[in-house]
């Protein structure tokens, strides 16, 4: 079972979900803007992705600049993702023990 942390307004997120469905994958969809992720879940995803918080962020969003996050600590970056879910890179797809960011969407093919 795969889980996609999805933003339906994002074309890459929509393309990734479509790719999963075309490959007959059972997918749980989590719209993280409607159901924000807590600190524990963000840390879990960071571990599965094996990346730093800044690598899981949309650094070109206005909110990133407005919150002055460029040189922020990991703790501050994680708190920013909790408080401003729009800053989370999308989509993220997990298969339980590993995860990928669906940019490009074909990245998810490594999960199955």
């Amino acid at each position: 079972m795969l889980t996609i942390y999805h933003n339906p307004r994002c074309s890459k997120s929509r393309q990734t979900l479509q790719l999963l469905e075309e490959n007959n994958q059972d997918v749980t969809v989590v719209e993280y803007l409607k159901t924000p992720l807590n600190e524990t879940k963000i840390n879990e995803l960071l571990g599965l992705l094996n990346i730093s918080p800044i690598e899981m962020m949309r650094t070109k969003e206005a909110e990133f600049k407005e919150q002055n996050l460029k040189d922020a600590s990991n703790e501050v970056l994680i708190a920013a993702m909790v408080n401003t879910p729009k800053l989370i890179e999308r989509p993220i797809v997990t298969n339980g023990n590993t995860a990928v960011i669906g940019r490009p969407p074909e990245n998810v093919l490594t999960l199955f």
Side-chain angles (χ1 to χ4, degrees):
M1 171 69 78
L2 300 175
T3 300
I4 182 171
Y5 295 88
H6 178 61
N7 178 349
R9 296 186 62 187
C10 170
S11 64
K12 294 294 183 203
S13 199
R14 290 192 309 270
Q15 290 168 12
T16 300
L17 181 57
Q18 181 180 356
L19 184 62
L20 294 171
E21 291 170 344
E22 287 171 354
N23 282 277
N24 299 312
Q25 296 299 308
D26 287 328
V27 183
T28 299
V29 177
V30 176
E31 289 189 34
Y32 65 90
L33 294 179
K34 290 182 180 176
T35 309
L37 307 180
N38 62 28
E39 182 179 342
T40 302
K41 180 52 80 173
I42 288 174
N43 278 310
E44 177 186 320
L45 290 173
L46 287 167
L48 292 174
L49 290 163
N50 195 29
I51 60 175
S52 66
I54 194 75
E55 294 174 282
M56 196 169 106
M57 296 186 80
R58 298 179 56 80
T59 59
K60 293 183 176 149
E61 292 290 340
E63 290 83 352
F64 185 86
K65 291 171 182 59
E66 289 166 5
Q67 294 179 39
N68 199 25
L69 296 171
K70 184 178 179 198
D71 296 314
S73 69
N74 287 344
E75 293 77 20
V76 169
L77 294 174
I78 292 168
M81 287 188 273
V82 169
N83 295 320
T84 312
K86 182 180 180 182
L87 291 172
I88 299 171
E89 187 59 87
R90 59 188 180 249
I92 297 172
V93 181
T94 68
N95 70 356
N97 58 8
T98 191
V100 297
I101 295 175
R103 287 186 171 271
E106 292 77 21
N107 283 353
V108 301
L109 297 175
T110 64
L111 295 176
F112 50 90

